[in-house]
Amino acid sequence: MSNPGPVNREVLDAVRAALRERADPARAAGAQAYMKSTLPSLGVRVPEVRRIAASAASAAPFESGDQLRATVLELWRTSTVREERYAAIDLTGSRLVARDLYMLPVYEEIIRSGAWWDFADGVSGRLCNLLQAHRPEMTDVLLGWSTDADFWVRRASITAQLKAKGSTDTALLARVVEANLADPEFFVRKAIGWALREYAKTNPGWVAAFVAGHASAISPLSRREALRRINGKEG
């Protein structure tokens, strides 16, 4: 990673203040229970967190990708509530770093230290952008992630092309899925079904053939999710 540079304190302060102004204690307890999290929640809804992050970044624009990275990592690492981590992820949606390979270590830290589906899935679209911009480098990364000891990292390798549609690298998708077909972990099996179901919106024939070709290895959960749209159970 390049020099992270100085933190944008205006953005940090604005995000933290706005989140606490919009806290909903009645909703917070339910949100924390739903996420099965020890990290407290403020009860701020995800769309509102997104608006708060965007407003803070607009009012005090980042001077560089390095400053954005430093700010995101500071907010992530010092977060005391779940919404601060959501805001950190939202800040990475800036066009300033959409194709910036130096963001990869940031996303990896979020996946590994967040260790839950909302955080891992929160950066899947960012990984997709990097894959489109740096296909050789990211292909190697995702193949490595597909056999990582951390199942959240493996899940991220599978979900990295959820938004790729016609730009999906089917050879890569097949390899990361095949590497995890035998995994009993629910979140990995769910990710396999999700990734295949999304691609079925673009190429249902490929997905049907893939599932049929791996009939003896794919879990019932992954199979059911993968074929949901093809079988007419999803509009």
Side-chain angles (χ1 to χ4, degrees), residues 39-50:
L39 187 65
S41 173
L42 291 172
V44 182
R45 296 181 184 276
V46 170
E48 184 63 19
V49 175
R50 192 169 294 122

Side-chain angles (χ1 to χ4, degrees), residues 73-227:
L73 289 173
E74 176 74 9
L75 183 56
W76 177 267
R77 292 169 178 172
T78 62
S79 60
T80 57
V81 293
R82 203 166 196 89
E83 287 85 350
E84 288 179 339
R85 291 196 152 188
Y86 291 158
I89 292 173
D90 289 335
L91 291 174
T92 68
S94 169
R95 292 181 181 178
L96 188 64
V97 294
R99 299 165 65 88
D100 188 345
L101 203 54
Y102 283 121
M103 290 299 294
L104 182 60
V106 177
Y107 302 142
E108 184 173 358
E109 178 171 334
I110 287 171
I111 295 164
R112 290 187 186 277
S113 63
W116 201 239
W117 63 264
D118 53 342
F119 298 139
D121 297 349
V123 299
S124 65
R126 315 295 195 244
L127 296 173
C128 189
N129 288 338
L130 291 184
L131 177 62
Q132 303 309 314
H134 307 278
R135 194 169 290 275
E137 296 90 340
M138 284 301 298
T139 295
D140 287 344
V141 167
L142 294 174
L143 287 174
W145 283 14
S146 72
T147 58
D148 195 273
D150 186 332
F151 75 79
W152 292 114
V153 175
R154 298 201 304 277
R155 177 181 169 99
S157 75
I158 296 166
T159 60
Q161 296 195 81
L162 284 175
K163 298 181 179 180
K165 298 181 180 179
S167 297
T168 297
D169 181 337
T170 54
L172 175 60
L173 178 60
R175 290 183 67 182
V176 298
V177 167
E178 287 166 350
N180 290 279
L181 284 175
D183 196 314
E185 171 57 50
F186 169 82
F187 288 106
V188 172
R189 291 187 168 188
K190 191 77 170 179
I192 289 172
W194 185 19
L196 293 174
R197 186 177 78 245
E198 281 301 302
Y199 188 51
K201 296 176 182 178
T202 298
N203 192 338
W206 187 94
V207 172
F210 181 89
V211 172
H214 297 80
S216 63
I218 194 167
S219 72
L221 171 60
S222 298
R223 176 187 175 87
R224 183 171 61 251
E225 290 294 318
L227 299 179

